Amino acid sequence: MPEAVISYDKDLPEIPDHSAFTEPHRYLRKKPETKDDFEIVEGRRTSRLILVNKLRKAVHTWREQGYPGASNATLRLLNYWFEEDHLVNGKLWRYYFGQREAIETLIYLTEVEKNTDIADLIQSFGEVFYPDGSQERLESSDLKVETAVDGKRRLLRYVPEVQSDQTQDLPAENLRRYAFKMATGSGKTVVMAMAIVWSYFHRKLTAGSNLATNFLVLAPNVIVYQRLEKDFADNRIFHELPLIPPEWKSRWNMKVILRGDANEPDASGTLFLTNIQQIYASRSTEWKPENPVQRILGRAPVKDLNSYRRPILDRIKSCPNLCVVNDEAHHVHDEDLKWHQALMEIHDSMSSGLAHWLDFSATPKDQNGTYFPWIICDYPLAQAVEDRIVKAPLIVHRVKRDDPYKVTKDNVIEAYQDWLLAALARWREHFNAYKIGRASCRERV
């Protein structure tokens, strides 16, 4: 029977000396002999994603050594974010460790490893779990990268989440595409903003930087767009959170162009926030020459400049550098999707390609239900619950059938038994969770 996950407060044991702001050193695990009891396990919860475990160790060592190899601009940001005290609305503000590790990993791969190809990253940091789920791992030689006749590269590997060998598409060569697997509610948007600030000032303050001062933040639908609009419109998130060191605020000159705006990008830096559907529409209305004269001379001059609005795709392509940030990026898994095609068109149109392509999602999976092989950060729901950042989930059984069987007065219980059993299981969860509160209320009465 399928399951639905519902956000719900449920008591879990505390982990002594645990903080959401420091690196985890213990985790909770259900006792094998019981159903609801937990035990505390020393060490950090192992990720079963192919790049994450070795990257965690490398970034941990880099952090402990004081970030050797990082640019001066990066060192200032890391020190400001994680070592200085901040007040937001009169309260102490600190970044969660999951947020810290995510941005550190991106910086480490860019500035220290100088990675530009996911295939190289897989050979250096990749590992594959055994089919039995044990924590022993196969060597990186069991990760095979092949190039097909059509020029596309594919990764052949055993995938534990589907328990079978799978072939997965890889990003194009020289495309720095990374994915961040972060539980819903754990602060993905803050990491997006940190990545934007880091890229912007790295480009402005570091000689020879190939990062971006222009950004395309994409939402898959109106609901996600409206959430992002609250944060990014008028640069709100950059002004309200401690993202920019005080001495650099005068250098921050980011123009935000929202969905439907006709504004042109600014040379100092532009952040486009839109739905991918606008990019599709822009592609379909893109001007194309209709005859040899137009191919030579180009488009005819616009008579009414006040009424002319350049398609957003044209404006995006006119930027000299660009970083793409995908929110809810599980929508972009398939290379045949228009989303992927539109972004690759932008990448190919730029002389040096995209500076970064960053995917954020709680479930960054492809069409086969397997995780992207370019995930560099894994902050799972279990960790977010232990950190008390999100509420514990309640697993509720969902009935498979849309309608009951044919009902007569003699077989009502049989016809609706799946619904009744699911409701009963849900009621028991609520009863056990709230019985202490009810008892105390009765005592007061």
Side-chain angles (χ1 to χ4, degrees):
M1 186 178 295
E3 294 177 333
V5 179
I6 298 177
S7 182
Y8 172 69
D9 275 321
K10 189 174 181 180
D11 290 335
L12 286 175
E14 296 277 353
I15 300 179
D17 303 321
H18 177 74
S19 169
F21 308 107
T22 58
E23 187 170 7
H25 60 282
R26 297 173 182 169
Y27 65 95
L28 295 173
R29 180 175 65 191
K30 282 190 177 182
K31 292 182 179 180
E33 65 274 10
T34 64
K35 197 170 185 179
D36 298 317
D37 291 340
F38 290 83
E39 60 183 354
I40 296 176
V41 181
E42 294 295 326
R44 187 170 180 180
R45 178 181 285 103
T46 302
S47 173
R48 300 186 75 189
L49 303 179
I50 65 174
L51 296 175
V52 169
N53 295 299
K54 289 185 178 181
L55 272 177
R56 280 177 178 172
K57 293 177 181 178
V59 172
H60 171 88
T61 300
W62 183 57
R63 182 188 311 119
E64 292 293 307
Q65 293 174 347
Y67 305 116
S71 65
N72 290 334
T74 296
L75 289 173
R76 176 65 186 115
L77 286 172
L78 293 173
N79 182 74
Y80 175 69
W81 289 336
F82 308 129
E83 302 300 331
E84 297 184 16
D85 292 332
H86 308 289
L87 289 177
V88 175
N89 297 325
K91 297 181 180 179
L92 181 66
W93 166 276
R94 296 179 67 188
Y95 291 94
Y96 296 129
F97 178 78
Q99 295 170 327
R100 175 175 186 167
E101 186 174 57
I103 191 65
E104 286 176 338
T105 305
L106 173 62
I107 294 171
Y108 174 79
L109 290 177
T110 304
E111 293 200 41
V112 180
E113 287 291 323
K114 302 187 186 303
N115 174 257
T116 58
D117 191 341
I118 194 64
D120 294 338
L121 201 60
I122 289 171
Q123 292 306 316
S124 298
F125 292 92
E127 58 186 3
V128 181
F129 283 79
Y130 279 112
D132 63 4
S134 67
Q135 290 191 5
E136 296 182 78
R137 295 178 287 279
L138 302 175
E139 297 298 323
S140 60
S141 58
D142 291 285
L143 298 163
K144 298 181 176 62
V145 176
E146 296 182 350
T147 302
V149 177
D150 58 5
K152 294 181 180 179
R153 298 183 305 166
R154 295 180 174 88
L155 173 66
L156 283 68
R157 68 179 179 108
Y158 177 83
V159 180
E161 56 263 29
V162 295
Q163 298 183 7
S164 66
D165 292 325
Q166 293 285 323
T167 300
Q168 295 179 288
D169 291 328
L170 291 179
E173 289 186 70
N174 299 317
L175 172 58
R176 287 187 292 207
R177 184 177 183 184
Y178 304 124
F180 300 79
K181 177 178 173 286
M182 300 183 69
T184 300
S186 63
K188 296 193 299 291
T189 306
V190 173
V191 179
M192 294 179 197
M194 296 169 81
I196 290 170
V197 169
W198 165 68
S199 177
Y200 181 90
F201 283 111
H202 190 280
R203 179 86 185 197
K204 295 279 188 180
L205 302 176
T206 305
S209 172
N210 60 1
L211 301 191
T213 55
N214 301 286
F215 305 89
L216 172 59
V217 181
L218 285 172
N221 53 51
V222 174
I223 294 174
V224 176
Y225 172 83
Q226 291 174 339
R227 174 175 58 79
L228 292 172
E229 184 181 22
K230 290 179 182 179
D231 289 314
F232 289 106
D234 300 320
N235 282 275
R236 178 180 175 183
I237 193 171
F238 304 110
H239 296 316
E240 293 188 352
L241 296 185
L243 289 161
I244 303 171
E247 70 273 20
W248 289 358
K249 287 188 176 180
S250 62
R251 294 172 175 258
W252 180 259
N253 190 15
M254 182 71 70
K255 183 175 185 178
V256 178
I257 298 179
L258 301 177
R259 182 185 64 183
D261 288 350
N263 299 335
E264 288 291 320
D266 193 285
S268 63
T270 304
L271 189 154
F272 298 90
L273 173 60
T274 187
N275 290 113
I276 190 61
Q277 290 79 7
Q278 264 209 327
I279 307 294
Y280 302 159
S282 186
R283 290 180 78 200
S284 63
T285 58
E286 192 173 13
W287 181 84
K288 296 179 178 61
E290 298 178 355
N291 53 58
V293 175
Q294 288 185 351
R295 280 197 291 271
I296 297 172
L297 300 180
R299 189 198 311 231
V302 178
K303 295 181 180 179
D304 184 4
L305 293 176
N306 292 326
S307 65
Y308 177 66
R309 175 192 296 184
R310 271 209 305 167
I312 189 171
L313 186 58
D314 285 355
R315 286 177 279 161
I316 292 169
K317 287 181 177 181
S318 71
C319 295
N321 54 72
L322 185 73
C323 168
V324 169
V325 180
N326 283 317
D327 196 8
E328 303 300 336
H330 46 275
H331 294 270
V332 298
H333 53 70
D334 192 341
E335 288 197 1
D336 293 330
L337 293 178
K338 290 182 180 179
W339 186 322
H340 184 276
Q341 294 171 3
L343 294 183
M344 285 305 300
E345 180 179 327
I346 296 172
H347 171 68
D348 293 336
S349 71
M350 297 190 162
S351 58
S352 299
L354 294 173
H356 279 108
W357 175 336
L358 307 178
D359 297 325
F360 289 84
S361 174
T363 54
K365 294 182 177 182
D366 60 23
Q367 67 273 23
N368 298 316
T370 59
Y371 285 108
F372 297 164
W374 53 90
I375 297 173
I376 62 172
C377 171
D378 184 9
Y379 186 76
L381 177 60
Q383 187 64 56
V385 171
E386 291 171 5
D387 289 344
R388 296 301 195 265
I389 294 175
V390 302
K391 296 178 180 180
L394 170 66
I395 306 300
V396 180
H397 289 290
R398 185 190 304 145
V399 178
K400 286 182 178 180
R401 300 193 306 275
D402 293 330
D403 298 302
Y405 297 121
K406 185 177 179 181
V407 178
T408 69
K409 67 178 182 179
D410 297 326
N411 71 348
V412 172
I413 293 178
E414 180 181 348
Y416 284 96
Q417 64 175 336
D418 287 343
W419 283 264
L420 294 170
L421 290 172
L424 180 61
R426 179 77 183 277
W427 175 83
R428 284 173 175 161
E429 289 280 359
H430 280 267
F431 181 87
N432 292 331
Y434 292 113
K435 61 184 177 183
I436 297 177
R438 288 195 303 274
S440 62
C441 288
R442 284 197 298 270
E443 291 173 0
R444 291 173 187 169
V445 174

